[in-house]
Structures are given as structure tokens and as C-alpha cells.
């Protein structure tokens, strides 16, 4: 496995793969890799001739600089993890290599068709501008046939689908398939996340209640969407150490509010102590 740190080196490697008609798969990550990432990489390796994985903590998608500073980083550990999984190339640039100074200090502009006005977009202004900025750049550089994303970040996945299939960029990425992969959970039910590294053992036991309550909500009487939403919030908030930021049951395609459980997805963000965790469930 080869680690590439420059855009020029990446493009040369991609060109060599394209020249011999290799299919290319890409798994964009911010490092701190876990078994959730492993599921994406394994599928990428199985479905493509060449597997590229990016390891880049993207500063433009953090609206909280303290959160950016605390994000776990260990490239040596991540590289060994990816090598064991059969990845062929790791792209691990610095922010200065990825962006010009002007790009770092200018908000990336994109028409989200309203997908960024709810949930994570509402709570983290500018977050998805940074996501689209880095992902579109990776797509330009790697020119993948397939790109793999986890369904835990449900809103992000919907926005990436929009970018590739319905936005003004769709002609640029007309040969690219976006592959959404199921949430990977610990045996306890806790959704795997790089942020879990910041949880103490006691906090992990507390955080288990998020997925437990979401799963239980599937069995509750569906009197109305709003009543189920409120009950989920109330039950999570009753657990000492947990505080819901939002719980929204939305249309699984448009991400807008819905009054039906058809094609509905419940998306939650919960603080467990100081750590912000997300999860979702399909109704």
C-alpha cells in the first residue's frame, strides 16, 4: 500500500490506473478509523480493481474550532488498518496542500435545494458547504467509478447523492455511483463513530440508550409523527448524562418534515457528556 500526500502525486497515480483501464473506488474519511470504516473499505476493495482511501481532517466543515482541535488523528495507525484491509492507496494531504489560503478563508457556495436547512445543517451552519467542498475536490482528483459513504451520516449521504445526481455538478460526475453502506454498531447497539474514542467507559454504557430507545420507537403506537418524536426526546433526556439536541422524523428523500411514516427516517443528535453523537433509524 502506498501513502500519497500531494495532489500532483495523486493525479499521477490515478492517471496510471486509468491508462490500464482499472476501475477505481474511493472511501473518503477523516481518519480515526474503526470497523464502520472497515465495512466501507472491504466493499470498495471487493467491487473495484483499485481502492483509494482519503484520510483528511477537513477544516472547512468544522464550525467549532475546538471540535476540530480535539478530532483524533493517528495516520500511522490508520495506514496499518487500511493496509490490513487491502486498500491500495491512501491520500493524506495537509490542509495547505488541499486548499489555497483563499479557499480556506472563503465559504464554499453550493445550491443544496434545501437539504442543508434542517437538522445538522441548521445546527452547524456552513458544515455541509465544507463537506461538499472537500468531497467534490476528492471526486475531481480521484475520478472514481464508485464512492462509499456510511448511512450513519444520513443527511450527508443525501447531500452527496444530490451533488452527483441532481445538482449543477451532475454532468461532471455522470459516471460515478454513490454507494450507501449500512450503519455498523457495537454489540451493545451503539453506532460506531470516531467520536466514541472520546467517551469514557461509563459514558459508552450511557450512550447505548440512544440506539435502544430508537429501536424501541419502532414498536410504539404510531399515533402521529410529532408524538413519536416527542416521546423519543423525552425518553432519551430521562437518561442521566444524555441531552438531545434534536430528533427529527423526516422524509428519507427530501429530508423535510413529514406527517407519515412511509419512507421516514428518524435522525437524532445527542450530547453524551461533552461528546456529540448522531444516529438514525428507518421507520
Amino acid at each position: 500500500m502506498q501513502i500519497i500526500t500531494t495532489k500532483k502525486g495523486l493525479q499521477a497515480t490515478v492517471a496510471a490506473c486509468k491508462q490500464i483501464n482499472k476501475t477505481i473506488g474511493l472511501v473518503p474519511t477523516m481518519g480515526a478509523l474503526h470497523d464502520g470504516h472497515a465495512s466501507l473499505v472491504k466493499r470498495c476493495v471487493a467491487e473495484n480493481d483499485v481502492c483509494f482511501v482519503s484520510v483528511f481532517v477537513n477544516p472547512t466543515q468544522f464550525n467549532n474550532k475546538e471540535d476540530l482541535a480535539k478530532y483524533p488523528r493517528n495516520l500511522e495507525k490508520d495506514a496499518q488498518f487500511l493496509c490490513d484491509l487491502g486498500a491500495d492507496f491512501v491520500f493524506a494531504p495537509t490542509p495547505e496542500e488541499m486548499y489555497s489560503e483563499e479557499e480556506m478563508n472563503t465559504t464554499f457556495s453550493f445550491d443544496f435545494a434545501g437539504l442543508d436547512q434542517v437538522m445538522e445543517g441548521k445546527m452547524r451552519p456552513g458544515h455541509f458547504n465544507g463537506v461538499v467542498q472537500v468531497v467534490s475536490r476528492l471526486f475531481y482528483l480521484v475520478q472514481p467509478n464508485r464512492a462509499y459513504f456510511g448511512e450513519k451520516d444520513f443527511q450527508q449521504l443525501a447531500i452527496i447523492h444530490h451533488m452527483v445526481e441532481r445538482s449543477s455538478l451532475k454532468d461532471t460526475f455522470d459516471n460515478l455511483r454513490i454507494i450507501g453502506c449500512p450503519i455498523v454498531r457495537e454489540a451493545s447497539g451503539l453506532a460506531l463513530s470516531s467520536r466514541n474514542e472520546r467517551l469514557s467507559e461509563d459514558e459508552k454504557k450511557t450512550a447505548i440508550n440512544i440506539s435502544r430507545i430508537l429501536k424501541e420507537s419502532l414498536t410504539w403506537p404510531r399515533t402521529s409523527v410529532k408524538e413519536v418524536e416527542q416521546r423519543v426526546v423525552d425518553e432519551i433526556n430521562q437518561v442521566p448524562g444524555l441531552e438531545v439536541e434534536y430528533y427529527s422524523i423526516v422524509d428519507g428523500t427530501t429530508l423535510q418534515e413529514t406527517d407519515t411514516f412511509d419512507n421516514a427516517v428518524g435522525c437524532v443528535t445527542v450530547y453524551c457528556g461533552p461528546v456529540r453523537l448522531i444516529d438514525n433509524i428507518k421507520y
Side-chain angles (χ1 to χ4, degrees):
M1 189 188 73
Q2 180 182 348
I3 297 176
I4 303 168
T5 59
T6 66
K7 290 182 289 187
K8 185 176 180 180
L10 177 63
Q11 289 176 303
T13 302
V14 168
C17 294
K18 294 281 187 181
Q19 190 171 20
I20 53 177
N21 297 317
K22 297 285 188 182
T23 57
I24 293 176
L26 171 66
V27 182
T29 84
M30 293 206 300
L33 304 180
H34 50 67
D35 284 346
H37 296 108
S39 70
L40 307 182
V41 176
K42 288 176 182 177
R43 187 164 175 185
C44 182
V45 169
E47 296 179 354
N48 302 276
D49 296 326
V50 183
C51 171
F52 284 80
V53 181
S54 62
V55 176
F56 176 62
V57 182
N58 177 37
T60 68
Q61 70 187 68
F62 284 82
N63 57 329
N64 183 328
K65 291 185 178 180
E66 184 178 342
D67 201 21
L68 172 62
K70 289 182 177 179
Y71 198 89
R73 297 164 172 85
N74 190 330
L75 179 57
E76 183 177 352
K77 180 181 177 182
D78 288 341
Q80 185 59 57
F81 183 83
L82 293 169
C83 183
D84 293 343
L85 291 169
D88 298 289
F89 299 100
V90 174
F91 179 48
T94 62
E96 294 75 21
E97 174 65 23
M98 200 65 166
Y99 300 122
S100 68
E101 184 176 351
E102 181 180 356
E103 288 169 331
M104 283 283 286
N105 295 303
T106 304
T107 300
F108 186 80
S109 180
F110 181 74
D111 180 7
F112 293 91
L115 295 173
D116 65 326
Q117 298 300 309
V118 296
M119 300 186 295
E120 288 298 282
K122 186 177 181 179
M123 297 298 174
R124 303 172 68 187
H127 168 69
F128 288 118
N129 296 77
V131 169
V132 170
Q133 181 181 27
V134 70
V135 172
S136 61
R137 176 147 304 182
L138 289 168
F139 287 172
Y140 280 122
L141 292 170
V142 180
Q143 301 174 48
N145 301 91
R146 300 176 186 87
Y148 298 81
F149 296 85
E151 291 180 352
K152 181 174 72 69
D153 297 291
F154 189 81
Q155 187 172 7
Q156 173 180 277
L157 178 58
I159 284 172
I160 299 303
H161 273 297
H162 169 72
M163 180 181 81
V164 171
E165 298 166 7
R166 297 183 295 278
S167 78
S168 59
L169 298 176
K170 65 181 180 180
D171 291 338
T172 305
F173 305 125
D174 58 353
N175 293 318
L176 171 58
R177 284 187 59 207
I178 302 301
I179 311 294
C181 300
I183 298 173
V184 178
R185 300 182 181 276
E186 296 183 3
S188 65
L190 179 64
L192 291 181
S193 170
S194 300
R195 295 175 185 268
N196 292 357
E197 291 188 16
R198 293 171 53 193
L199 297 171
S200 68
E201 287 305 310
D202 285 343
E203 286 171 335
K204 275 193 174 185
K205 292 175 183 176
T206 299
I208 291 168
N209 289 285
I210 301 169
S211 59
R212 176 184 63 78
I213 292 168
L214 289 183
K215 187 175 180 181
E216 287 177 359
S217 76
L218 297 178
T219 68
W220 297 344
R222 296 186 182 179
T223 48
S224 75
V225 167
K226 288 300 180 186
E227 287 181 3
V228 171
E229 282 182 340
Q230 190 59 54
R231 184 173 172 184
V232 167
V233 172
D234 291 344
E235 295 213 3
I236 293 177
N237 282 342
Q238 286 174 11
V239 178
L242 296 183
E243 183 178 354
V244 176
E245 184 174 69
Y246 66 80
Y247 182 61
S248 298
I249 298 176
V250 298
D251 181 274
T253 303
T254 67
L255 302 186
Q256 302 307 305
E257 291 185 0
T258 181
D259 58 6
T260 175
F261 288 95
D262 294 335
N263 190 38
V265 180
C267 300
V268 72
T269 293
V270 181
Y271 279 94
C272 182
V275 183
R276 189 175 186 270
L277 303 173
I278 65 173
D279 203 344
N280 63 73
I281 196 162
K282 295 178 181 178
Y283 287 93

